[in-house]
Amino acid sequence: QVQLVESGGGSVRAGGSLRLSCAASEYTGSDYLMGWFRQYPGKEREGIAAIYTTAGSSFVADSVRGRFTISQDNSNNTLYLQMNNLQPDDTAMYYCAADGPVRATIATMTSLLEDNYNYWGQGTQVTVTS
Protein backbone atom coordinates (compact mmCIF):
# COMPACT_ATOMS: atom_id res chain seq x y z
CA GLN A 1 0.00 0.00 0.00
CA VAL A 2 1.46 3.32 -1.08
CA GLN A 3 1.87 5.96 1.57
CA LEU A 4 1.87 9.60 0.51
CA VAL A 5 3.22 12.57 2.43
CA GLU A 6 2.61 16.11 1.26
CA SER A 7 4.77 19.10 2.10
CA GLY A 8 5.35 22.64 0.92
CA GLY A 9 2.15 24.30 2.01
CA GLY A 10 2.10 27.56 3.87
CA SER A 11 1.00 31.15 3.75
CA VAL A 12 1.78 33.43 0.82
CA ARG A 13 0.67 36.80 -0.46
CA ALA A 14 -1.49 37.05 -3.56
CA GLY A 15 0.62 36.80 -6.68
CA GLY A 16 3.17 34.60 -4.96
CA SER A 17 4.19 31.00 -5.65
CA LEU A 18 4.45 27.74 -3.78
CA ARG A 19 5.60 24.29 -4.77
CA LEU A 20 3.89 21.35 -3.14
CA SER A 21 5.65 18.00 -2.90
CA CYS A 22 4.22 14.54 -2.42
CA ALA A 23 6.65 11.83 -1.41
CA ALA A 24 5.55 8.27 -2.11
CA SER A 25 6.72 5.31 -0.04
CA GLU A 26 7.44 3.18 -3.08
CA TYR A 27 8.28 3.51 -6.75
CA THR A 28 5.46 5.24 -8.63
CA GLY A 29 7.37 6.06 -11.80
CA SER A 30 5.36 3.74 -13.99
CA ASP A 31 1.82 2.38 -14.10
CA TYR A 32 0.49 4.92 -11.63
CA LEU A 33 -2.09 7.65 -11.80
CA MET A 34 -1.22 10.47 -9.43
CA GLY A 35 -3.13 13.63 -8.74
CA TRP A 36 -3.60 16.76 -6.70
CA PHE A 37 -6.88 17.73 -5.11
CA ARG A 38 -7.96 20.64 -2.98
CA GLN A 39 -10.76 21.02 -0.52
CA TYR A 40 -12.45 24.16 0.76
CA PRO A 41 -14.03 24.04 4.22
CA GLY A 42 -17.40 22.32 4.06
CA LYS A 43 -16.94 21.38 0.40
CA GLU A 44 -16.03 18.19 -1.45
CA ARG A 45 -12.55 17.64 -2.77
CA GLU A 46 -11.88 19.09 -6.22
CA GLY A 47 -9.43 17.46 -8.60
CA ILE A 48 -7.04 20.04 -10.04
CA ALA A 49 -4.23 18.10 -11.73
CA ALA A 50 -3.39 14.53 -12.64
CA ILE A 51 -0.57 12.65 -14.32
CA TYR A 52 -0.10 9.13 -15.61
CA THR A 53 3.44 8.39 -14.57
CA THR A 54 4.35 5.90 -17.33
CA ALA A 55 4.13 8.38 -20.18
CA GLY A 56 3.98 11.59 -18.21
CA SER A 57 0.62 12.53 -19.70
CA SER A 58 -0.97 15.21 -17.54
CA PHE A 59 -4.20 17.15 -17.28
CA VAL A 60 -4.87 20.35 -15.36
CA ALA A 61 -8.31 21.68 -14.44
CA ASP A 62 -9.56 24.80 -16.18
CA SER A 63 -9.74 26.60 -12.85
CA VAL A 64 -5.95 26.54 -12.44
CA ARG A 65 -4.60 25.97 -15.95
CA GLY A 66 -1.88 28.38 -16.83
CA ARG A 67 -0.98 28.90 -13.18
CA PHE A 68 -0.48 25.38 -11.80
CA THR A 69 1.80 22.67 -13.20
CA ILE A 70 2.00 19.02 -12.16
CA SER A 71 5.24 17.12 -12.56
CA GLN A 72 7.03 14.03 -11.27
CA ASP A 73 10.55 13.09 -10.30
CA ASN A 74 10.89 9.33 -10.61
CA SER A 75 14.37 9.32 -9.08
CA ASN A 76 12.90 10.10 -5.67
CA ASN A 77 9.26 9.02 -6.09
CA THR A 78 8.01 12.56 -5.69
CA LEU A 79 5.09 14.35 -7.26
CA TYR A 80 5.05 18.14 -7.46
CA LEU A 81 2.50 20.89 -7.92
CA GLN A 82 4.00 24.22 -8.90
CA MET A 83 1.53 26.97 -8.11
CA ASN A 84 2.14 30.44 -9.50
CA ASN A 85 0.19 33.69 -9.26
CA LEU A 86 -1.69 32.38 -6.26
CA GLN A 87 -4.93 34.09 -5.36
CA PRO A 88 -7.04 34.13 -2.17
CA ASP A 89 -9.49 31.71 -3.86
CA ASP A 90 -6.68 29.15 -3.92
CA THR A 91 -6.77 28.97 -0.12
CA ALA A 92 -7.61 25.36 0.69
CA MET A 93 -6.26 22.07 1.97
CA TYR A 94 -4.31 20.35 -0.78
CA TYR A 95 -4.11 16.58 -1.07
CA CYS A 96 -1.97 14.20 -3.06
CA ALA A 97 -3.55 10.98 -4.32
CA ALA A 98 -2.46 7.90 -6.22
CA ASP A 99 -3.70 4.68 -7.75
CA GLY A 100 -1.83 1.81 -9.31
CA PRO A 101 -1.06 -0.26 -11.14
CA VAL A 102 -3.15 1.27 -13.93
CA ARG A 103 -3.26 0.48 -17.63
CA ALA A 104 -4.34 3.86 -18.96
CA THR A 105 -1.67 6.30 -20.06
CA ILE A 106 -3.50 9.40 -21.30
CA ALA A 107 -4.75 11.90 -18.73
CA THR A 108 -8.09 13.57 -19.36
CA MET A 109 -10.70 15.43 -17.35
CA THR A 110 -11.96 12.12 -15.96
CA SER A 111 -8.53 11.59 -14.40
CA LEU A 112 -9.52 14.28 -11.90
CA LEU A 113 -12.36 12.24 -10.44
CA GLU A 114 -11.84 11.28 -6.82
CA ASP A 115 -13.10 7.73 -7.40
CA ASN A 116 -10.02 6.97 -9.53
CA TYR A 117 -7.76 7.09 -6.48
CA ASN A 118 -7.22 4.63 -3.64
CA TYR A 119 -4.31 6.20 -1.80
CA TRP A 120 -4.38 9.61 -0.16
CA GLY A 121 -2.03 11.82 1.77
CA GLN A 122 -2.96 13.76 4.88
CA GLY A 123 -3.00 17.11 3.15
CA THR A 124 -1.12 20.36 3.38
CA GLN A 125 -2.72 23.75 3.97
CA VAL A 126 -2.24 26.60 1.52
CA THR A 127 -3.32 30.07 2.59
CA VAL A 128 -3.18 33.04 0.25
CA THR A 129 -3.66 36.51 1.68
CA SER A 130 -4.57 39.61 -0.27
Side-chain angles (χ1 to χ4, degrees), residues 28-88:
T28 54
S30 63
D31 300 333
Y32 268 83
L33 171 64
M34 300 195 74
W36 287 100
F37 289 73
R38 65 184 178 186
Q39 187 171 26
Y40 300 109
K43 302 292 187 181
E44 295 186 356
R45 276 187 290 215
E46 167 195 10
I48 56 174
I51 187 167
Y52 278 101
T53 60
T54 298
S57 173
S58 64
F59 187 88
V60 179
D62 288 347
S63 58
V64 300
R65 189 173 298 146
R67 300 189 298 123
F68 290 12
T69 303
I70 186 172
S71 63
Q72 61 187 84
D73 184 343
N74 295 337
S75 67
N76 60 11
N77 302 329
T78 301
L79 181 74
Y80 298 103
L81 183 69
Q82 178 67 44
M83 305 186 295
N84 297 328
N85 191 22
L86 284 159
Q87 300 300 315

Side-chain angles (χ1 to χ4, degrees), residues 15-30:
S17 298
L18 285 174
R19 188 177 77 160
L20 304 184
S21 299
C22 172
S25 60
E26 61 185 60
Y27 182 68
T28 54
S30 63

